Amino acid sequence: MTRRRIAAPVGEFARYLRTETVGGFVLLAAAAVAIVWANSPWAGAYQATRNTVVGPAALHLDLTLAQWATDGLLALFFFVVGLELKRELVVGELSTRSQALLPVAAALGGMIVPAGLALLVGRGATGMDQAWAIPVATDIAFALGVLALAGSAMPVSARVFLLGLAVADDLGGIIVIAVLFSSGLDLIALVAAALLAALYWWLQRRRVRAWWVYLPIAVATWLAVHEAGVHATVSGVLLGLLTRVRADPGEEFAPALRLEHRLQPWSAGFAVPVFALFAAGVPIGASALRAVFTEAVSQGVIVGLLAGKIVGILGASWLVIRLTPASRPRGLSWRDMAAVSMLGGVGFTVSLLIAELSLADHPELLETAKAAVLAASATASVAGAALLVRRGRVRARNTG
């Protein structure tokens, strides 16, 4: 009797959702629906749906549907990110110092420079004390989707470089969320979350594989982190990082790989699109569009994502290659790296999340900041795609 491949797709739809282009298109479609709905005659129904409160108040879980999407569904997304990050750190492209040096440096440059430019452009503006963090993020799924679609002629090292810096960037974004947007910490809940995480780690060490054991622990950890005053999505990353990524002798797949294959379709096909549906519905009338280019916060976001990302990623890459033993990815010229670096400006999911967290007390600025994220991400994806197509044609001529 042959063994069933644990990590095999459970269906064709799941297999398609695991591909980067399809995941990016689903995310884009959800954002488009949100924008159309929020600017249609049924805009009132959109706002009413977003603001519908469900959940038990006794547990402090009487949240709106939009908050459930942000705090709940994105925890699944960040759990998958945590699994990817752990795998890359232990057995993947970030597992050795020499491998990690370039993408980590590129990610740091791609966070520091956008944040600095955002602060410079929006200095002194209301809300900028935390909104500077909005352009530090890169959306892995969207950026890799554009690369897969427009950069088919690029060598595989382009994807490895972008994946490495996007994973490191996500880790930085998670740290920013955990540090910047944690307030009024409940130490008892924090200790409970730590104990639950330790239990999860111990069960992983004991090779317990029953899903019905882990599911209550994951839900309880999420509840404890939420109650502790730390953003609930951090619980997803924490458990992802505690999941075992090396397969035992005789074990076909490690738990992290099994979980990633099983949960990726749910993350890409449901969790992230639903978040985008509730987060991306912004007004696009003349006055709203004018505000995107006149408000200091939105100007900082746009400059940070479009200029800061490519300058930071490419500049940090040049410095680390010049000053350390790190080398340019095999087969990539500096112009190729510039094209890939442009995709770092696709902030989208995490940038929208940080916008909602940083400007929660300034609703008059929040919609404008989210519109700036959408505009900058769309521009970065189109510009990056155009550069990748151009580089592909140049490569074709040179090898033809």
Side-chain angles (χ1 to χ4, degrees):
M1 184 175 70
T2 59
R3 285 188 299 173
R4 182 173 63 88
R5 290 185 64 83
I6 296 172
V10 295
E12 283 297 301
F13 186 58
R15 182 174 68 83
Y16 284 127
L17 285 175
R18 288 191 188 99
T19 63
E20 288 141 2
T21 49
V22 174
F25 280 133
V26 173
L27 180 58
L28 184 61
V33 169
I35 293 171
V36 171
W37 190 3
N39 291 275
S40 73
W42 301 279
Y46 175 77
Q47 294 299 332
T49 302
R50 286 184 84 253
N51 297 324
T52 298
V53 176
V54 295
L59 296 176
H60 301 158
L61 293 178
D62 47 338
L63 308 175
T64 66
L65 290 180
Q67 288 173 323
W68 275 112
T70 300
D71 292 0
L73 292 181
L74 280 193
L76 173 62
F77 164 73
F78 276 106
F79 179 67
V80 174
V81 169
L83 293 174
E84 293 175 345
L85 178 60
K86 177 71 174 289
R87 181 164 49 81
E88 293 298 327
L89 288 171
V90 176
V91 297
E93 299 300 328
L94 304 177
S95 58
T96 67
R97 183 179 300 178
S98 59
Q99 287 177 308
L101 194 55
L102 179 61
V104 168
L108 285 173
M111 295 179 68
I112 294 170
V113 175
L117 284 178
L119 279 170
L120 182 64
V121 171
R123 62 187 180 278
T126 301
M128 208 64 209
D129 55 331
Q130 290 187 324
W132 58 265
I134 297 173
V136 304
T138 293
D139 190 295
I140 293 179
F142 220 137
L144 288 174
V146 174
L147 179 62
L149 191 65
S152 57
M154 301 290 283
V156 68
S157 56
R159 184 188 184 280
V160 171
F161 173 67
L162 181 59
L163 177 62
L165 80 87
V167 167
D169 184 284
D170 263 2
L171 177 59
I174 291 159
I175 293 171
V176 167
I177 291 170
V179 173
L180 201 61
F181 305 112
S182 298
S183 59
L185 292 180
D186 184 325
L187 292 181
I188 295 177
L190 205 57
V191 170
L195 292 174
L196 287 164
L199 175 60
Y200 180 94
W201 172 82
W202 182 78
L203 290 170
Q204 284 285 301
R205 297 275 293 180
R206 298 291 295 177
R207 277 34 183 186
V208 174
R209 294 178 55 180
W211 66 268
W212 50 267
V213 173
Y214 289 108
L215 184 59
I217 295 173
V219 173
T221 304
W222 181 89
L223 284 168
V225 171
H226 182 273
E227 188 65 21
V230 180
H231 196 265
T233 52
V234 173
S235 64
V237 181
L238 176 63
L239 296 183
L241 291 173
L242 294 175
T243 304
R244 185 165 55 88
V245 297
R246 294 187 189 275
D248 289 333
E251 186 178 28
E252 191 171 9
F253 298 105
L257 188 58
R258 287 198 308 271
L259 285 168
E260 193 177 328
H261 273 256
R262 292 198 180 280
L263 296 179
Q264 176 65 28
W266 289 100
S267 174
F270 181 70
V272 176
V274 170
F275 166 76
L277 180 66
F278 287 130
V282 295
I284 55 173
S287 60
L289 290 176
R290 185 165 53 250
V292 170
F293 299 102
T294 57
E295 289 284 354
V297 169
S298 56
Q299 289 175 340
V301 170
I302 290 173
V303 172
L305 284 173
L306 291 182
K309 279 291 185 180
I310 188 169
V311 171
I313 293 171
L314 206 58
S317 298
W318 182 83
L319 279 175
V320 78
I321 288 172
R322 186 174 181 85
L323 300 177
T324 74
S327 58
R328 204 166 60 231
R330 183 176 302 172
L332 290 187
S333 67
W334 282 112
R335 291 184 180 182
D336 295 331
M337 289 187 66
V340 175
S341 298
M342 189 72 241
L343 297 181
V346 183
F348 211 81
T349 305
V350 182
S351 286
L352 288 174
L353 172 60
I354 295 177
E356 294 202 338
L357 296 175
S358 62
L359 295 172
D361 295 331
H362 304 284
E364 72 282 0
L365 297 174
L366 175 57
E367 299 302 311
T368 303
K370 292 199 293 186
V373 169
L374 295 175
S377 297
T379 303
S381 61
V382 171
L387 290 172
L388 288 168
V389 170
R390 168 67 178 167
R391 294 307 303 161
R393 288 174 179 169
V394 170
R395 285 176 167 276
R397 284 202 304 268
N398 291 341
T399 58

